[in-house]
């Protein structure tokens, strides 16, 4: 592996990562992925305890971080919101400082408030990894998405076209992907209903906004579908789920508008029958479960690099 460039104790967003740091992380993730199936463990987090604070539900991210931590030989401490003293009004800072006082060496956090991970990263002297903060950022999701694209299309993604379709307005996945993809020279199209795709996003270099589904699908190398997030919608952005599905849901007929070799991605959880029909989610174009596997490798890489930096080894 070429020289590793990484300057962060924490992984809280994509914006603050340089192009070289992205390459370092992907190269490290490739090394870790090559070990899958061999039962090999790495020592990065031996004698370290990783605390997982998930203050919002999660299946993929939480599980992938736990598997990744174990693969790096960590011990795990799991904090559950509903059974913690957070229910008695304890602040996030106090919770984190108490856990730190017990000797925890890294915190993985999902929180409903945008900026919560950055805040904690300033408060704590140990690595903090953002597992999703409100509608702001989901950096490891974007990293695993890019890792999957690189596996499929090759490491140089310049000139590739990725369409992100759906609930862009409320999506931390879309925000992190916009930064991650454009940093690698990918041409990004944001598509969906006008109410869910702010026109101003088209002012970001490398990004265009389209409200015509046919045009958004036609030249894409990959179509990344986003879940319609009922839980974050404070106002009605479209009349009904049926309406969304009839205009933007991806079924066989619409998938046929894509290039034959184009792939389908989804961060999960899928609303089957809403943004994506099962025959496409489970069909030959889908790389959705590869994304999940790659989530373990990428998270191992993030935890590994942040730990080495914090301990002065990078
Ligand atoms: N993609 C993703 O963040 O899934 P979870 O909410 O299940 O973690």
């Amino acid at each position: 592996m070429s020289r590793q460039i990484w300057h962060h104790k924490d992984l809280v967003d994509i914006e603050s990562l340089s192009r070289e740091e992205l390459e370092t992380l992907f190269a490290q993730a490739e090394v870790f992925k090559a070990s899958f199936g061999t039962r090999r463990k790495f020592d990065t987090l031996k004698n370290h305890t990783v605390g997982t604070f998930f203050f919002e539900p999660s299946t993929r991210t939480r599980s992938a971080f736990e598997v990744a931590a174990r693969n790096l030989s960590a011990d795990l401490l799991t904090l559950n919101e509903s059974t913690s003293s957070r229910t008695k009004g304890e602040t996030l800072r106090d919770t984190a400082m108490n856990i730190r006082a017990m000797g925890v060496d890294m915190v993985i956090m999902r929180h409903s408030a945008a900026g919560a991970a950055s805040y904690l990263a300033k408060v704590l002297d140990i690595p903090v990894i953002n597992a999703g903060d409100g509608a702001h950022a989901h950096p490891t999701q974007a990293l695993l998405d890019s890792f999957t694209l690189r596996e499929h299309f090759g490491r140089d993604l310049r000139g590739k076209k990725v369409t992100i379709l759906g609930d862009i307005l409320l999506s931390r996945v879309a925000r992190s992907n916009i930064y991650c993809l454009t940093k690698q020279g990918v041409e990004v199209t944001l598509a969906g209903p006008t109410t869910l795709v702010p026109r101003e996003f088209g002012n970001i270099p490398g990004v265009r906004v389209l409200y015509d589904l046919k045009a958004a699908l036609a030249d894409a190398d990959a179509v990344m579908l986003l879940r319609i997030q009922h839980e974050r919608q404070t106002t009605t952005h479209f009349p009904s789920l049926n309406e969304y599905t009839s205009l933007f849901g991806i079924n066989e007929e619409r998938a046929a508008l894509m290039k034959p070799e184009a792939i389908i991605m989804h961060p999960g959880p899928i609303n089957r029958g809403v943004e994506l029909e099962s025959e496409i989610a489970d069909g030959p174009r889908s790389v959705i479960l590869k994304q999940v596997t790659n989530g373990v490798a990428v998270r191992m890489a993030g935890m590994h690099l942040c730990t080495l930096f914090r301990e002065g080894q990078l």
Side-chain angles (χ1 to χ4, degrees), residues 21 70 136 142 246 268 304:
E21 287 172 321
R70 288 198 177 97
H136 170 234
S246 70
H304 174 84

Short mmCIF file of all heavy atoms in Angstrom, two decimals, residues 21 70 136 142 246 268 304:
data_model
loop_
_atom_site.label_atom_id
_atom_site.label_comp_id
_atom_site.label_asym_id
_atom_site.label_seq_id
_atom_site.Cartn_x
_atom_site.Cartn_y
_atom_site.Cartn_z
N GLU A 21 -6.88 11.52 1.47
CA GLU A 21 -7.40 10.76 2.62
C GLU A 21 -8.46 9.76 2.16
O GLU A 21 -8.53 8.64 2.68
CB GLU A 21 -7.96 11.72 3.66
CG GLU A 21 -6.84 12.45 4.40
CD GLU A 21 -7.34 13.55 5.31
OE1 GLU A 21 -8.29 14.27 4.92
OE2 GLU A 21 -6.77 13.70 6.40
N ARG A 70 -15.23 -5.86 16.16
CA ARG A 70 -14.75 -7.20 16.56
C ARG A 70 -13.63 -7.67 15.64
O ARG A 70 -12.66 -8.30 16.09
CB ARG A 70 -15.92 -8.19 16.53
CG ARG A 70 -16.90 -7.96 17.67
CD ARG A 70 -17.79 -9.17 17.93
NE ARG A 70 -18.65 -8.89 19.06
CZ ARG A 70 -19.91 -8.46 18.97
NH1 ARG A 70 -20.46 -8.29 17.78
NH2 ARG A 70 -20.62 -8.22 20.05
N HIS A 136 -27.91 15.76 8.32
CA HIS A 136 -26.62 16.38 7.95
C HIS A 136 -25.68 15.45 7.21
O HIS A 136 -25.34 15.71 6.06
CB HIS A 136 -25.95 16.95 9.23
CG HIS A 136 -24.55 17.38 9.02
ND1 HIS A 136 -23.50 16.92 9.78
CD2 HIS A 136 -24.01 18.23 8.12
CE1 HIS A 136 -22.38 17.48 9.36
NE2 HIS A 136 -22.66 18.28 8.37
N ALA A 142 -21.65 6.98 2.65
CA ALA A 142 -21.12 7.49 1.38
C ALA A 142 -19.82 6.77 1.02
O ALA A 142 -19.58 6.46 -0.16
CB ALA A 142 -20.88 8.99 1.49
N SER A 246 -46.02 6.03 -8.23
CA SER A 246 -46.47 6.08 -9.62
C SER A 246 -45.61 7.02 -10.47
O SER A 246 -45.42 6.80 -11.65
CB SER A 246 -47.95 6.46 -9.70
OG SER A 246 -48.09 7.81 -9.33
N GLY A 268 -30.59 1.25 2.17
CA GLY A 268 -31.44 0.52 3.10
C GLY A 268 -31.83 1.41 4.28
O GLY A 268 -31.13 2.38 4.56
N HIS A 304 -9.76 2.12 12.07
CA HIS A 304 -8.32 1.85 12.06
C HIS A 304 -7.54 3.16 11.90
O HIS A 304 -6.63 3.47 12.69
CB HIS A 304 -8.03 0.89 10.91
CG HIS A 304 -6.59 0.61 10.64
ND1 HIS A 304 -5.87 -0.36 11.33
CD2 HIS A 304 -5.73 1.14 9.75
CE1 HIS A 304 -4.63 -0.39 10.88
NE2 HIS A 304 -4.52 0.51 9.91
#
